[in-house]
Amino acid sequence: MSRPYIKKLSFTLLDSITDKDPMVQEQVCSALCSLGEAQPDETLRACEEYLRQHDKLAHPYRTKILRAMETILSSHIHDLDKDTASAVILLASSEMTRTKELDCDWQQAASSVLVAVGKRFTNQVMEEVLNRFQPGMLPHSSVLHTLANLSMSNAFDMVPFLPSILSTMLPMLGMAKQDALKVVFCCALQHFSESILEYLANLDQAPDPTVRKDTFGADIFGAYDFLFHHWLQSRDAKLRLAVVAALGPMSHLLPSERLEEQLPKLLPAVLGLYKKHAETFQISKSLGQILEAAVNVSSRTLEVQLEALLVALHSQICVPVESSSPLVMNSQKEVLRCFTVLACCSPDRLLAFLLPRLDTNNERLRVGTLQILRHIVNSAAAQMEIKKPFILSSMRLPLLDTNDKVKRAVVQVISAMAHHGYLEQPGGEVMVEYIVQQCALPAEEPQKPGPDGEDLAADSVRAVSIRTLYLVSTTVDRMNSVLWPYLLEFLTPVRFTGALTPLCRSLVHLALKRQEAGADDFLIQYNANANLPSPFALTTRLLVVSSNPYLGDGRGAASLRLLKVMHQNIHPLLGQRWETTMPVLLEYLDEHTEETLSLKEWEEKLLFLRDTLIMVSDNVWICQLSQEMCKQLPSYSGTPQEKNFLYKCIGTTLGAASSKEVVRKHLRELLETARYQEETEKEGLACCFGICAITHLEDTLAQLEDFVRSDVFRKSTSIFSIFKDRSEHEVEKLKSSLILCYGHVAAQAPRELMLAKVESDILRSIFQCFNTKVGDPALKLCLVQSLCMVSQAMCSGAQASSFHFSRKAELVAQMMEFIRAEPQDYLRTPIRKKAMLACTYLVTLEPALEEQTQADVIHSCLHSVMALPPGPEGEDGVCQESLYLDTVCALEDLLTSLLRQNMTPQGLQIMVEHLSPWIKSPRGHERARALGLGACLLQFFLEHLQVSTLVPFHNLGLLVGLFAPRCADTWTTTRQEAVGCVYSLLYLQLGYEGFSRDHRDDVAERLLTLKDGLVHADPTILFHTCHSIAQVIAKRLPSDQLISLLLTMFESLGDPDKNCSRAATVMINCLLKERGNVLLEKVPEIVSVLRAKLRDTQEEHVLPAAQHSVYLLASQHCEAVVSSLLGSPLPFDSHTCALWRALAVEPSLTAQVLELLLEKMSKDVPFKESRAFLLGSTADRVATLLPLAATCALNEVLSAPSSGTVVLELYPQLFVALLLRVSCTVGVQLPRNLQAKERKSTSLAKAARNLDPCSSAVDALQALLLRSGSQDVLRCVELEGGWELLRTSAGHEDGVAQLASSMAKYAGPRLPLVMKALGCTQNSVYEIQRVTSTAFLAELCLQLLSSNVVNDLMLLEPLLDNLTARLKDSSASVRRLVLRGLANMASGSPDKVQAHGPQLMTAMVSGLDDGDEPHSLVALEAMVGLSRLLDLVEPWDLRLVLLHTTIRIRPFFDSEKVEFRTASIRLFGHLNKACPGECEDVFLEQVVGGLVPLLLHLRDPQVPVASACKFALCMCVPHLECAELAAAFYKYLQEGRSVHFGEFLNSTCKHLMHHFPDLLGRLVSTNLFYFKSSWDDVRAAAPMFTGFLVLHAEPEQRTQVDLEQLIVALQLLLKDPVPGVREKAAETLGRLVKFA
């Protein structure tokens, strides 16, 4: 291989190493490495020579060259010859020492080269390096770096050199003056020591196993002595750290006696560095090494230095850590490692130092000490075994610390102690209690992650304690006897409530372990453990906390599981019962969440206590349980909900007790100790008394009576001290509680016993408590609630009908006062509901209420409920919704109770009159509520209707007119209820007509089936259903009620709910249609009303009511209506447009209207030239008014669905007229007066239609297509954006083509008459109309041929004649469109093209030469057309134009215009594809000539060009007759596949050079032309192409390539402004090594 050639390539690349772009520099280095891969010796020599010749090359570039050399050496060190190695060693040594700067990249790169060579040529490298490491002379710092790195990378070969190196180095230490050089010496000594230690640790693998530590002792000590005495005290921090880093490993190599001698000085010196450095990792690491070395030699000096060591190390642990970086964490670990070493050698001294520091109040000191203590408990377990009691006693003060950091550290220490048996010692229980206390801390609020991303909540004291407790109780077996049953003591104290869940979980685990061990181990001896809670305390506590099950991380489930496991320790008879009950409760909790759980249902399930008490059936046990429950009541003052549940449990337990003495005693105590100010406790107390009254009514009432008679109501002295100085407010609280108790007693007590007591005891006591002016809302609510419960109890009794309530009217009036006092804007309390329920029960009792009183009740209750706003959204939304529904139900019950008192049409009318304002309310929620109430009342009235004589239902029309329009209300519920109301009304009419209650009318029953249609919000379904409902009404409504119904519905036209207004119009029309025969004389009146509504009401939905009348008028006066409407101001308003559409109802009328409008549209010129044109400026075209108005009107009429039949008859005339109208209005402006009006209408309110002349014509054309059944045409053009294109000058042709294409696809049978009409436009005076018609015909040629419609309709010849006749048109656009149309024949049958081949080819070739422009659009169209036709013409016809066409299109390959590049390249592909066999020899030259441009243009910036190249290459490749190349082309160039250009080009060049090696020179020279391409990607692809050709060419082909010219060209590319081009040039230069 030619050395000069490699040198030239290398030098060319190296000259580009100074490129400004980093990527190019990297590519140059990569190319150098490629050269090195092929010829490492020559490349390394070239690099070495280049560096020697270019002394002034900047350091960064020298560094890159050296890095490349290192890469080559790393891969080919074993292939390197000795001479090259020597040269490289000398170069690297020189480069390394050329500058005296320290620690620069250049020196490091040179040093790395030496280290890489030294892996094989260690002796040669050492010889060169040692030459620069002479005794008596300070070496270059890089020399030391190199020696150190060599020792680390190759310890086995380097350690034998170290004795001499060390002996030479020692005298140099005193000569070093610069601190940076001293640092290098220290690093070298550190690495030397580490390599020696590695060598000694692996003597079994070492080449010389006789080496001993003593060999290096003297030299290491000498170095140590100098470093310690001279450099360790330096002011330079970096030097001090380097010294201490070296002293650590060096201490292991010092002789034992020397180490013992130096320790008294060494240790204080190292410890002193802590005060001088913030980064202490290296100090701690070296100190740990020194301590280990001292322990290894059993040093006695440590005892003397121990105190100082401990103080220094302790301060390092206690120093605040500002970050959790790895360096800081590693430093902490090294300090703790030092403590481990000290703990193993001096445990007593260490504890004597640490434990007193636990008594300090300083947070840092205490946390640090605890951290050390935890570490030594874990790491020095053997030494700490006998110290356990001492350590435990020292934890007394830290346990009292309230600091969170200290707490967390204490918990971690306790966790370590648990694993090592500390907690089994006396005093271990204190540690367990501490953990439980931390578990009981309040749960933390969710916090954002900390600054380092840690989860603060997960590391909180509580979270750590919970994890620790569970871990200790489940994984540390030795802790079982410590924790069981000791943990039970923490269940009942309130201060440990927060720890209940973790406690229960741990206790369940421990209990199950005990059960597995045997019954004796599990049963608790309560007598032997006086501090343990009793079974009654456990049962009460766990049951009560379960009432709020999701608090405290799910303490309900945890408590129930513990109860289930503990059943044997609670009562022996509970096992089987609880085994079946508890799993059901736990499953219920799993199925719900805190949001979905109903507390009321859950509490009811928890009162399985009843079954438990029945199962026990032991009065003594039950009494003890009740006593414990009462005892625990004060504990729950802070948790009202749980206290409420405890009251229920007490009531349940007292109800099960058979001892009346115990019951009376506990009830009395409850009344005396209750906190009446708390609402929840008040409710709980009442529930307790109610539950107890089920079995102890007499005793319960007696205790309440005694309490009521006491002095507690007086403000003066009371017999109970707790009631002294009670305020009026407190007395009312007390009264409300007692009233509530009486209510619950009445509700729960047996009915037969309660009725005997209600008047004499219960009501009397309630009235006694209420015998003052009510001011407290709570007292109001309690009174209402109690009276409601008492009334309900009375009504449900068997003797209710005979009960006479004398104070009924007074109480009803009081209830109304309460209701009216409630605020109207929100619903917060159940006072309304309770008061209405009380009235509901009260009105049924004797005596009856007066009429005025009833009216006041109805009005007040309706206004109180109906006016409420919709339910709020938010946290209380669910509660508000539930309260509202309950209130509405109470109102329904009250109204039906009142209606029951007057079951007549008049009584019903009274109720509906009260509801009427709410039914017509503009607020939807009020309408919905009113309709719901109305439906309820009507249904009730119907169910209880009893007609004894036939009487008219005189108000039926009014009622139906009120409810029927609501069938279309915007609220679905309202619609449903409205149908129900109409249904009920019709059956009421049938009832009054004498039909029986069970009679079913087929017509009325249709309403039930129609009701389903009102669920849908779809207006079509909705109003169709309303129409059907109106039909039902029309059939069953008496004639005398019809006019009142219509007049009522006319009023609904202005209903604020638009849907109801629309429904009224639908129903009015239906009624007019069905019953108009009886309203003949009323028609003028009806039409007048509708006109007035149209004039006064701006809502569009009123228009359909007026359109029918307009139609009647137009049927008699068509021409006059059309003329008058055309005179309407433009743009037409929405009412005018609607009236136009009304004219298309009937076909004969529609035909007259359309013919009149076509005449008006064609009568005048489409536009006029503005005056500006006469002055020489650009012409402005202004639309004329009459055609514009006719076009807009035509659009409206065609928009009416009923015009379809007439449109089909006039289709050709309409289509051509509108298409030409579109063409001649493109760019046409409105008159100035209409422009101003258009802007005003746009700013104020959008006009019904767009007034722009072209847009209005397009809209009319769309309406025509839609109405003629050509929806597919309309949709197809819309999807392609054709309608927008039609409106613009630039896209008009494409829009016409899309319209023609869609017409051919979906409206073919209509085209003959359309084409005939278009033929008349050939001589149009408007060029745009000729262009439009030609574009339409050209596209038809494509679509008709491809669909064979041309054969069916015999349209081909007329089409061709029409098109060819336009070839000589003066318009270039027309000529271009003619070529497009002729080329469109290619999409049809081949025989059609062949039959007209000469004619078609002549037209296309002439188009190539059309005009004098170099980029004629006609020529472009000709190329596109030829591409489509070539495959279909006869070979002879192709032969005549082949050569001319190929030559004519070749210049377009590199055209600046993307369209011409795309079309010419694609045509070239088609020429290859269509070329007959005998033409292949001629075309092979063309293929070879076009191969390089086509391949390079795959990187063209324009995607269409690249796609055309893919096609052309696939068409060219068969002419090359190379199967492998063809396979590669087809693999990579599939359409739609993303091409990895480099991979594809590599494969292509491989096959080209394998099968066509003689083409190398031609291909390379063609590529050289593209080295100057204007496209960056193409210019970058050309050298890459060349590089791949060279890569795959055989060396003997080098004669085809002018290497000198190629290298010069590549050198120029290396200066290209685009970095990517320079990269590829450098890469190719690297490949040229093949031609060396």
Side-chain angles (χ1 to χ4, degrees), residues 543 577 603-617 622 648-649 651-653 656 691 694 748:
L543 192 61
R577 184 67 181 178
E603 287 183 356
E604 188 60 34
K605 289 181 179 294
L606 279 182
L607 289 178
F608 68 91
L609 177 64
R610 301 189 191 98
D611 299 334
T612 298
L613 297 174
I614 294 172
M615 182 66 64
V616 172
S617 296
I622 293 173
K648 295 177 182 178
C649 293
T652 303
T653 309
I691 296 171
I694 297 174
Q748 295 283 352

Side-chain angles (χ1 to χ4, degrees), residues 5 62 253 734 804 969 1088 1158 1299 1353:
Y5 181 70
R62 304 182 80 88
L253 297 175
L734 177 58
H804 184 87
D969 197 279
S1088 175
L1158 283 177
L1299 177 60
L1353 303 177

Side-chain angles (χ1 to χ4, degrees), residues 840-1080:
T840 301
Y841 298 123
L842 288 172
V843 296
T844 62
L845 300 174
E846 292 295 332
L849 295 176
E850 298 178 356
E851 289 186 6
Q852 185 58 45
T853 304
Q854 287 192 17
D856 292 342
V857 169
I858 296 172
H859 175 77
S860 299
C861 292
L862 281 175
H863 192 269
S864 177
V865 176
M866 306 299 285
L868 288 172
E873 296 180 1
E875 297 178 0
D876 59 346
V878 176
C879 297
Q880 294 291 319
E881 180 66 17
S882 176
L883 178 58
Y884 167 74
L885 292 176
D886 292 343
T887 306
V888 170
C889 289
L891 178 59
E892 289 177 355
D893 293 341
L894 175 59
L895 294 181
T896 52
S897 295
L898 291 170
L899 181 58
R900 187 189 296 271
Q901 312 302 317
N902 186 10
M903 289 291 290
T904 64
Q906 183 63 30
L908 180 62
Q909 181 69 26
I910 292 173
M911 288 293 180
V912 174
E913 285 175 357
H914 283 291
L915 285 174
S916 181
W918 306 103
I919 293 175
K920 298 177 181 179
S921 170
R923 289 172 285 278
H925 66 278
E926 293 180 357
R927 297 196 304 273
R929 293 168 183 173
L931 264 294
L933 287 173
C936 177
L937 291 172
L938 289 172
Q939 183 63 31
F940 178 82
F941 192 87
L942 179 60
E943 290 175 355
H944 296 82
L945 178 64
Q946 293 180 353
V947 179
S948 57
T949 59
L950 295 181
V951 294
F953 193 8
H954 59 84
N955 48 7
L956 176 63
L958 293 175
L959 293 177
V960 172
L962 179 65
F963 288 112
R966 297 297 137 195
C967 294
D969 197 279
T970 51
W971 286 50
T972 305
T973 54
T974 305
R975 298 197 294 268
Q976 297 281 332
E977 299 290 3
V979 178
C981 291
V982 174
Y983 176 84
S984 298
L985 286 169
L986 293 183
Y987 268 104
L988 283 175
Q989 172 63 28
L990 290 172
Y992 280 106
E993 290 177 0
F995 290 93
S996 63
R997 185 181 300 174
D998 57 354
H999 170 71
R1000 285 293 168 261
D1001 182 72
D1002 293 339
V1003 176
E1005 288 298 317
R1006 279 195 60 205
L1007 291 176
L1008 296 181
T1009 59
L1010 294 173
K1011 192 174 183 179
D1012 296 335
L1014 297 178
V1015 176
H1016 305 281
D1018 183 1
T1020 304
I1021 300 175
L1022 193 61
F1023 296 125
H1024 177 74
T1025 307
C1026 289
H1027 182 272
S1028 301
I1029 292 172
Q1031 288 178 323
V1032 173
I1033 295 172
K1035 290 179 181 180
R1036 284 290 172 264
L1037 194 74
S1039 299
D1040 60 338
Q1041 298 288 317
L1042 183 58
I1043 190 63
S1044 63
L1045 171 60
L1046 285 172
L1047 292 176
T1048 306
M1049 284 191 170
F1050 284 149
E1051 293 302 319
S1052 296
L1053 292 177
D1055 195 286
D1057 189 310
K1058 296 179 183 179
N1059 271 18
C1060 294
S1061 179
R1062 292 190 185 101
T1065 62
V1066 170
M1067 291 181 171
I1068 289 170
N1069 288 334
C1070 179
L1071 290 169
L1072 289 173
K1073 179 180 178 182
E1074 296 290 336
R1075 305 288 293 274
N1077 56 335
V1078 299
L1079 294 172
L1080 182 59

Side-chain angles (χ1 to χ4, degrees), residues 1156-1454:
L1156 285 169
L1157 291 176
L1158 283 177
E1159 179 185 349
K1160 302 288 184 182
M1161 190 173 67
S1162 60
K1163 188 175 182 179
D1164 199 358
V1165 294
F1167 56 82
K1168 292 181 180 180
E1169 301 290 347
S1170 68
R1171 187 179 298 276
F1173 176 68
L1174 301 177
L1175 300 177
S1177 60
T1178 303
D1180 290 332
R1181 294 176 175 179
V1182 180
T1184 51
L1185 288 180
L1186 184 59
L1188 178 59
T1191 304
C1192 295
L1194 197 60
N1195 185 13
E1196 298 302 331
V1197 177
L1198 292 174
S1199 298
S1202 54
S1203 65
T1205 305
V1206 180
V1207 166
L1208 293 176
E1209 297 174 1
L1210 301 176
Y1211 186 83
Q1213 302 94 306
L1214 289 169
F1215 182 83
V1216 173
L1218 288 173
L1219 179 61
L1220 296 181
R1221 173 69 184 171
V1222 170
S1223 68
C1224 66
T1225 54
V1226 173
V1228 174
Q1229 301 177 0
L1230 284 171
R1232 290 187 178 180
N1233 60 328
L1234 288 184
Q1235 289 180 12
K1237 188 179 294 186
E1238 175 80 353
R1239 288 193 294 270
K1240 184 177 179 181
S1241 65
T1242 302
S1243 62
L1244 296 178
K1246 187 176 180 182
R1249 299 287 182 183
N1250 194 336
L1251 194 55
D1252 175 71
C1254 187
S1255 295
S1256 63
V1258 171
D1259 293 343
L1261 182 58
Q1262 291 175 333
L1264 170 67
L1265 293 172
L1266 180 64
R1267 200 54 55 223
S1268 63
S1270 300
Q1271 293 91 339
D1272 293 335
V1273 176
L1274 182 66
R1275 183 168 54 254
C1276 185
V1277 177
E1278 178 68 31
L1279 290 175
E1280 299 294 333
W1283 298 119
E1284 290 301 322
L1285 293 174
L1286 274 174
R1287 293 180 172 91
T1288 62
S1289 300
H1292 183 71
E1293 291 179 14
D1294 293 334
V1296 172
Q1298 291 177 12
L1299 177 60
S1301 171
S1302 303
M1303 288 288 291
K1305 290 179 183 177
Y1306 303 111
R1310 295 179 183 155
L1311 289 177
L1313 294 177
V1314 172
M1315 286 178 56
K1316 182 178 179 181
L1318 280 174
C1320 302
T1321 64
Q1322 180 176 345
N1323 299 319
S1324 173
V1325 295
Y1326 300 106
E1327 178 186 351
I1328 184 61
Q1329 290 188 343
R1330 300 200 307 277
V1331 171
T1332 298
S1333 60
T1334 306
F1336 192 87
L1337 293 172
E1339 185 65 22
L1340 279 185
C1341 194
L1342 168 65
Q1343 300 300 331
L1344 294 179
L1345 284 167
S1346 61
S1347 62
N1348 288 325
V1349 175
V1350 69
N1351 291 334
D1352 300 337
L1353 303 177
M1354 296 179 291
L1355 300 178
L1356 177 58
E1357 294 303 329
L1359 263 177
L1360 288 179
D1361 293 342
N1362 202 328
L1363 287 173
T1364 53
R1366 304 182 186 217
L1367 272 174
K1368 301 301 182 181
D1369 195 286
S1370 59
S1371 171
S1373 297
V1374 174
R1375 297 197 302 275
R1376 173 173 51 81
L1377 290 169
V1378 170
L1379 291 179
R1380 181 181 299 174
L1382 294 175
N1384 282 343
M1385 290 185 64
S1387 299
S1389 303
D1391 56 343
K1392 296 189 182 101
V1393 176
Q1394 291 172 0
H1396 302 82
Q1399 179 184 5
L1400 296 173
M1401 297 304 290
T1402 301
M1404 296 299 163
V1405 173
S1406 66
L1408 286 175
D1409 301 318
D1410 185 89
D1412 298 328
E1413 297 182 15
H1415 293 95
S1416 169
L1417 294 179
V1418 180
L1420 177 62
E1421 194 67 53
M1423 285 191 286
V1424 175
L1426 278 170
S1427 296
R1428 300 168 64 186
L1429 291 170
L1430 283 178
D1431 293 341
L1432 304 176
V1433 299
E1434 294 286 353
W1436 177 255
D1437 296 331
L1438 176 61
R1439 181 188 294 276
L1440 295 176
V1441 300
L1442 183 63
L1443 185 59
H1444 174 78
T1445 303
T1446 306
I1447 295 173
R1448 181 70 179 85
I1449 68 173
R1450 181 62 182 83
F1452 291 121
F1453 279 19
D1454 298 306

Side-chain angles (χ1 to χ4, degrees), residues 149 201 348 372 453 494 590 742 804 926 1090 1110 1119 1265 1495 1571:
N149 292 333
D348 293 332
I372 299 167
V494 176
D590 291 338
Y742 279 111
H804 184 87
E926 293 180 357
L1090 290 174
V1110 173
E1119 187 173 357
L1265 293 172
L1495 286 169
F1571 278 22

Side-chain angles (χ1 to χ4, degrees), residues 340-467:
T340 302
V341 175
L342 297 176
C344 293
C345 64
S346 301
D348 293 332
R349 291 281 303 277
L350 176 61
L351 290 179
F353 173 83
L354 286 177
L355 298 185
R357 282 163 173 76
L358 291 175
D359 297 342
T360 181
N361 290 325
N362 185 285
E363 173 203 307
R364 294 177 184 173
L365 294 179
R366 182 169 278 175
V367 171
T369 306
L370 289 169
Q371 187 178 354
I372 299 167
L373 185 61
R374 180 187 62 167
H375 181 75
I376 62 174
V377 165
N378 286 322
S379 63
Q383 288 78 9
M384 297 296 115
E385 182 66 29
I386 60 174
K387 312 293 183 181
K388 290 179 180 179
F390 186 41
I391 295 174
L392 277 172
S393 63
S394 66
M395 293 291 292
R396 179 176 53 85
L397 287 179
L399 294 180
L400 303 177
D401 201 312
T402 58
N403 183 277
D404 281 349
K405 292 181 180 180
V406 176
K407 286 182 177 182
R408 191 180 298 112
V410 169
V411 171
Q412 292 170 344
V413 171
I414 294 174
S415 177
M417 288 179 170
H419 284 79
H420 294 282
Y422 285 71
L423 304 189
E424 301 165 31
Q425 304 288 326
E429 295 87 353
V430 178
M431 303 297 168
V432 176
E433 181 178 355
Y434 183 82
I435 295 289
V436 177
Q437 285 176 349
Q438 309 317 308
C439 292
L441 291 173
E444 299 80 7
E445 292 293 331
Q447 299 179 5
K448 295 181 180 179
D452 299 319
E454 72 272 13
D455 187 351
L456 299 180
D459 290 335
S460 66
V461 176
R462 181 174 185 270
V464 172
S465 302
I466 290 173
R467 290 198 298 269

